Amino acid sequence: MDGDGLCRYGFFKLARSVSDLSTHHQFRIGAVIANKKPIVFGANLAKTHPLYANELNGVYSIHAEVKAVLNALNRNCDIRGADIWVYREKADGSVGTAKPCKHCMAVLIESGIRRIYYSDEKSIKGYSRLDL
């Protein structure tokens, strides 16, 4: 399923718009935390400080899921029991798989997120769901 088809699903449409805020040059990821209505969002950000280093590829970044949780904390938003919608767009504009990494999963579990919906380029539906 392409990005336009996937965006028929409301929060994926919003997450796709949020991904436009990304400063990462290889792919853009947007995340929306919602509980019937959007609560907070975040986009992946490229950083230059070594504190954000990724040991695997040397890219410095803050993941969209973590940025959304940090935004919730900064705004004193209660996200326990909410869902998160994560959308990934590759450099060529196609949809990519946005399954959260193990570090993001730990943050989401600790934050009380109930379900994760993420774009999935291998799924017929165009997305997958994880219940926490």
Side-chain angles (χ1 to χ4, degrees):
M1 178 178 288
D2 64 12
D4 291 331
L6 185 60
C7 288
R8 290 182 306 202
Y9 305 101
F11 293 122
F12 272 125
K13 184 174 185 177
L14 183 54
R16 183 181 187 188
S17 295
V18 169
S19 74
D20 288 337
L21 301 173
S22 171
T23 59
H24 201 286
H25 67 282
Q26 293 175 328
F27 48 83
R28 298 185 316 227
I29 300 175
V32 175
I33 297 176
N35 196 352
K36 295 186 182 175
K37 293 183 179 180
I39 300 170
V40 70
F41 61 85
N44 63 323
L45 303 172
K47 293 290 184 181
T48 58
H49 194 282
L51 178 64
Y52 303 108
N54 179 333
E55 296 174 7
L56 298 176
N57 61 15
V59 174
Y60 302 103
S61 66
I62 297 176
H63 292 194
E65 304 93 311
V66 171
K67 184 63 177 166
V69 170
L70 289 173
N71 287 342
L73 291 172
N74 289 335
R75 292 175 174 79
N76 292 319
C77 297
D78 184 9
I79 58 173
R80 289 174 299 198
D83 299 335
I84 188 167
W85 300 74
V86 188
Y87 176 87
R88 178 179 181 157
E89 190 167 284
K90 298 178 189 177
D92 66 4
S94 63
V95 175
T97 298
K99 184 176 182 180
C101 71
K102 67 179 182 177
H103 304 293
C104 289
M105 287 292 288
V107 169
L108 296 173
I109 290 167
E110 182 67 27
S111 300
I113 295 295
R114 180 177 56 159
R115 281 187 294 257
I116 301 168
Y117 296 90
Y118 62 92
S119 60
D120 186 347
E121 62 191 304
K122 295 178 182 169
S123 171
I124 294 172
K125 298 181 293 189
Y127 73 93
S128 291
R129 179 178 120 177
L130 295 171
D131 295 317
L132 303 180

